[in-house]
Amino acid sequence: MAEAHQAVGFQFTVRPDGVDLKLSQEVIKTIYLSGVTAWKKRAIQFKNGVLAGVYPASPSSWLIVVIAMMSSLYIRIDPSLGMIEALQENLPHRSEENIRAVLSAILFATGLWLFLIYLLRYMLKALLSYHGWIFESHGKMSRSTKVWLSLVKMFSGRRPLLYSFQASLPRLPVPSVDDTIHRYLESVHPLLNSDQYDQMERLANDFKDSKAAQLQRYLILKSWWGTNYVSDWWEEYIYLRGRSPIMVNSNFYIMDLLYITPTHRQAARAGNVVHAMLQYRRKLERGEHAPLRALGTVPMCSTQMERIFNTTRIPGIETGKQPLCTDIVQHLTDRKHLVVYHKGRFFLLWLYTGGRHLLPSELETQFQRILNDTSEPQPGELKLAALTAGHRVPWAQSRIKYFGQGVNKVSLDAIESAAFFLTLDDEPQGYDPAKAKSLDSYAKSLLHGKCYDRWFDKSFTLISYPNGKVGVNAEHSWADAPIVGHMWEYVLATDCFHLGYTEEGHCKGDVNKGLPHPSRLQWQIPNECQEVIETSYLSAKLIADDVDFHGYLFHEFGKGLIKKCRCSPDAFIQLALQLAQFRDQGVFCLTYESSMTRMFRDGRTETVRSCTTEAVAFVRAMEDEGATRLALFRKAAEKHQNMYRLAMTGSGIDRHLFCLYLVSKYLGVDSPFLKKVLSEPWRLSTSQTPQQQLNLVDINKFPKYVSAGGGFGPVADDGYGVSYIIVGENLITFHISSKFSSPDTNSCRFGQHICDAMLDIQALFKPENDKTTVEQLGNGKKHM
């Protein structure tokens, strides 16, 4: 085969008169180009590393300072106040006096330049520690905030790279114990009767008066020493120490475009999407993505983005040296291959040739070769990935026993070091208006699939369907959903508006059939291991079959109308969820809403406790015809907004209490209060999927190019998980999960309650905004 010959760099034949050596010029050229590209990449990374390292200054500013100092030597003005002369006297006297004067001026200029860089950074950090702007009413900015914003812009420099602001971000502050306990008691007050609340108040006050001060001192010390007093413990204890399956319980998913399928050719769509991901990774490695900024000015932390690619969660096991089980997150760099799963077979595919990415058309060719491959899975290969879907301990034990050497280790290393994992699925999925359950089926496919056709330990698995639809299943420990969402927004926009397809639906570009075929990964899986695989599969299947999922497209109105009602869209939806929860269950419950803390260095998330006293009063008023519902709604919405702002600015409740609890466990301090707080169930867990890069797609011009967002599995056995995305001005998509095994929950029923609650709340505004409502509803239906 021609491909096999091209894969060999040289051939030699031993003859009686010597060795006949033949070199393949094509392969030698490929090796040369690969080396050139690698050095170019290192040079760009070094350059961008320097630019980010001296930000908000620039390397050219050093030259300006040096020239200024050198000029002072000739005009006989000493701006250094004698420091240049002191440096000159301490330089070796073997040099000429003029040379020593120049060197001392350069040394002083360099020191002054570095001092100014650190001064600018600390001034910017001090400015970014101010959060008063976030508590101001929408559309109303005080004079002090305008001045502050101008100063932030001035000290932020020009053309920042992805990691330029990292050194200027403030540390996450440790809230006072008094504030945290006060807010906690306020949050549980509407959920407890008087006796229960009195008991909780006594526990809280006992904790505050006895143990809290000691635990708080350790947290303050950690906040001074580390970059973030929460994030490393959150990753380890909430994610990596869990021994239960991560499929459904931890992993989440993100969907494709809702209404548009750019091509119905599976290999072509996968080719474009993978190429767009490689483009994103190249910009990520070079730090060339623009940092995300609130108000277009306030920078967010970019640390989590470092581990998007070539990252795998490795299962841990209890050993003599390690008394507690914990997984680890393994992140590698500069790996140039992809592992593809199709019909029970694993294929290794190289993503580079001649020092460049494979083109979309080349990737399409490679994926089509895999789709055309009719070989059978090796014994145990079909359901191998079920090990990552089941309990962590059997997977960790099997990994050591059966995958620690030989071909199994080589193949497993190929998977775990791959850029990401790709599944070429064999069952079409996607939203179809003509099929009532299409969105539900699509969500379940992305969340768990067949329980053995996604590698749940990879940072993310890209799933490509036969009808051209795609989606992502992401592991949660290494980062939060907005990080994967940022990449996904870039990929979908690049796929549709930059790469495109031919009229026949193929990737654009010439077809290169000379590439070496993707190679099969080899396995030698003994019967004992196959039994473990089957056990993991069966336990994972029980979890997957129990997931009751419902996707709901709410298009009666959207963000446009809510804003005209002078209300936060998120507060509007959260209050609708409280109303839906009460109508569905007849009681209120502890409600989790995720908010980000990425305005701080290494920030991740905080909890907004959405079930407030004000929200309960509003919901009860909705059942009372004579109540002043609108006034109560506005009061509840304002309360929710304030809670959300407190969480974003480091004054949340739950991460502080979580860290206090960990310190108490380390010190062996028993706290009934912290035990009770950490054991409370979240029966309603909610999250909003943010749209972060609105500049990539003009939704007004291309209203059909919208994503359905993503979702996650239920957090409590008898509760609901709700994810929602506010798409443009006229669409809100809800992803609702629960468990079939719970007799009290039903995801479809809850979706209807959400719809009714949204309409009932919107009706409160009709008397004061009826004309706008009618026009907005008309626009919403027009887009659909």
Side-chain angles (χ1 to χ4, degrees), residues 149-379:
L149 202 57
S150 299
L151 289 172
V152 171
K153 289 179 180 178
M154 183 174 68
F155 285 106
S156 292
R158 299 174 58 191
R159 295 188 295 275
L161 296 171
L162 180 61
Y163 303 113
S164 293
F165 291 112
Q166 291 300 105
S168 301
L169 292 174
R171 296 170 187 263
L172 182 69
V174 182
S176 72
V177 172
D178 288 349
D179 287 346
T180 296
I181 289 179
H182 171 74
R183 293 186 186 120
Y184 170 77
L185 291 174
E186 186 182 30
S187 72
V188 297
H189 191 270
L191 304 174
L192 305 175
N193 59 40
S194 58
D195 291 338
Q196 292 171 329
Y197 181 78
D198 290 342
Q199 180 188 9
M200 181 58 76
E201 191 174 33
R202 282 194 299 271
L203 289 175
N205 288 331
D206 288 345
F207 170 73
K208 183 169 62 173
D209 296 337
S210 59
K211 307 176 181 69
Q214 178 191 9
L215 305 181
Q216 179 79 347
R217 283 195 293 269
Y218 281 97
L219 275 193
I220 292 173
L221 178 62
K222 185 174 189 284
S223 73
W224 289 346
W225 179 252
T227 55
N228 191 296
Y229 82 94
V230 175
S231 293
D232 56 339
W233 283 353
W234 185 255
E235 179 176 308
E236 178 180 353
Y237 288 94
I238 297 301
Y239 294 112
L240 298 180
R241 290 210 175 183
R243 299 294 88 195
S244 58
I246 61 175
M247 182 201 77
V248 175
N249 297 324
S250 178
N251 286 29
F252 58 93
Y253 68 85
I254 304 180
M255 288 183 168
D256 193 7
L257 296 171
L258 193 58
Y259 306 114
I260 298 294
T261 307
T263 178
H264 292 283
R265 296 184 183 273
Q266 184 176 15
R269 186 75 195 286
N272 261 12
V273 168
V274 170
H275 185 77
M277 286 180 169
L278 295 178
Q279 289 183 330
Y280 185 91
R281 184 173 78 161
R282 180 170 59 191
K283 294 184 69 176
L284 184 65
E285 290 173 340
R286 296 175 177 179
E288 293 175 345
H289 288 289
L292 189 66
R293 295 198 268 186
L295 294 180
T297 304
V298 183
M300 304 289 179
C301 181
S302 302
T303 300
Q304 295 180 57
M305 300 179 74
E306 296 173 356
R307 299 190 290 182
I308 292 179
F309 296 95
N310 300 101
T311 298
T312 304
R313 176 171 173 166
I314 306 297
I317 189 172
E318 182 176 344
T319 63
K321 296 180 180 178
Q322 185 178 331
L324 294 175
C325 297
T326 180
D327 294 353
I328 62 169
V329 177
Q330 173 185 277
H331 173 63
L332 304 172
T333 58
D334 206 26
R335 296 302 193 272
K336 300 182 177 180
H337 69 277
L338 177 69
V339 171
V340 184
Y341 179 92
H342 176 60
K343 290 187 175 180
R345 294 88 43 82
F346 292 82
F347 295 84
L348 186 144
L349 171 63
W350 292 101
L351 297 171
Y352 292 75
T353 182
R356 62 168 177 81
H357 295 149
L358 291 186
L359 300 175
S361 57
E362 294 171 331
L363 287 166
E364 179 186 358
T365 299
Q366 297 291 64
F367 294 141
Q368 193 60 53
R369 286 170 171 172
I370 293 174
L371 291 171
N372 294 340
D373 190 302
T374 58
S375 59
E376 294 294 321
Q378 299 162 74

Side-chain angles (χ1 to χ4, degrees), residues 247 341-346 380-389 421 423 426-427 448-456 533-534 536-538 540-541 544:
M247 182 201 77
Y341 179 92
H342 176 60
K343 290 187 175 180
R345 294 88 43 82
F346 292 82
E381 185 180 17
L382 174 66
K383 298 180 181 178
L384 174 62
L387 289 171
T388 68
F421 193 81
T423 294
D426 53 0
E427 295 179 2
H448 54 69
K450 298 174 182 176
C451 303
Y452 58 78
D453 51 356
R454 288 94 174 89
W455 199 269
F456 294 100
I533 293 172
E534 186 65 20
S536 294
Y537 164 69
L538 293 175
K541 191 173 186 300

Side-chain angles (χ1 to χ4, degrees), residues 359-641:
L359 300 175
S361 57
E362 294 171 331
L363 287 166
E364 179 186 358
T365 299
Q366 297 291 64
F367 294 141
Q368 193 60 53
R369 286 170 171 172
I370 293 174
L371 291 171
N372 294 340
D373 190 302
T374 58
S375 59
E376 294 294 321
Q378 299 162 74
E381 185 180 17
L382 174 66
K383 298 180 181 178
L384 174 62
L387 289 171
T388 68
H391 290 272
R392 304 304 291 173
V393 172
W395 169 211
Q397 292 171 337
S398 299
R399 188 174 182 277
I400 293 172
K401 186 175 182 180
Y402 303 113
F403 299 90
Q405 59 185 357
V407 295
N408 288 351
K409 177 175 172 50
V410 172
S411 295
L412 182 62
D413 286 346
I415 294 174
E416 293 180 342
S417 64
F420 53 93
F421 193 81
L422 169 64
T423 294
L424 296 175
D425 214 310
D426 53 0
E427 295 179 2
Q429 296 288 349
Y431 172 64
D432 184 351
K435 297 180 180 178
K437 297 288 186 179
S438 62
L439 207 57
D440 308 356
S441 174
Y442 184 22
K444 283 178 66 67
S445 175
L446 291 174
L447 185 62
H448 54 69
K450 298 174 182 176
C451 303
Y452 58 78
D453 51 356
R454 288 94 174 89
W455 199 269
F456 294 100
D457 284 354
K458 288 299 289 182
S459 55
F460 69 92
T461 296
L462 172 65
I463 301 131
S464 172
Y465 294 103
N467 57 348
K469 283 294 182 183
V470 291
V472 167
N473 177 287
E475 202 275 313
H476 209 332
S477 66
W478 63 275
D480 301 309
I483 303 302
V484 185
H486 187 276
M487 175 201 68
W488 195 236
E489 289 172 353
Y490 176 94
V491 167
L492 293 182
T494 302
D495 170 32
C496 297
F497 295 100
H498 297 283
L499 299 177
Y501 301 87
T502 65
E503 292 183 359
E504 294 79 19
H506 293 286
C507 294
K508 294 180 179 178
D510 297 331
V511 177
N512 181 3
K513 295 184 178 180
L515 294 171
H517 282 243
S519 57
R520 284 281 302 274
L521 296 184
Q522 299 301 308
W523 307 96
Q524 293 177 0
I525 303 175
N527 292 333
E528 297 86 353
C529 182
Q530 293 183 38
E531 292 176 2
V532 178
I533 293 172
E534 186 65 20
T535 301
S536 294
Y537 164 69
L538 293 175
S539 66
K541 191 173 186 300
L542 287 175
I543 297 172
D545 290 345
D546 196 25
V547 176
D548 176 13
F549 220 99
H550 180 60
Y552 184 77
L553 303 180
F554 182 86
H555 52 77
E556 280 74 10
F557 58 87
K559 178 174 64 176
L561 175 61
I562 296 173
K563 284 189 171 182
K564 289 180 180 179
C565 295
R566 293 177 289 116
C567 177
S568 157
D570 184 70
F572 188 104
I573 295 171
Q574 284 292 326
L575 289 171
L577 291 175
Q578 290 300 316
L579 181 56
Q581 163 71 21
F582 185 74
R583 289 174 173 175
D584 188 83
Q585 299 292 312
V587 294
F588 296 98
C589 69
L590 196 61
T591 304
Y592 183 110
E593 181 188 3
S594 178
S595 76
M596 65 90 185
T597 56
R598 288 174 59 204
M599 289 190 294
F600 301 97
R601 183 75 178 270
D602 295 341
R604 290 200 61 162
T605 62
E606 178 58 275
T607 304
V608 181
R609 293 176 168 238
S610 302
C611 187
T612 62
T613 301
E614 292 80 0
V616 168
F618 162 70
V619 169
R620 292 194 183 281
M622 290 298 289
E623 308 302 316
D624 181 1
E625 293 292 336
T628 54
R629 300 171 177 176
L630 185 56
L632 289 172
F633 171 82
R634 291 200 181 281
K635 186 177 180 181
E638 181 59 33
K639 176 65 175 182
H640 179 270
Q641 274 298 92

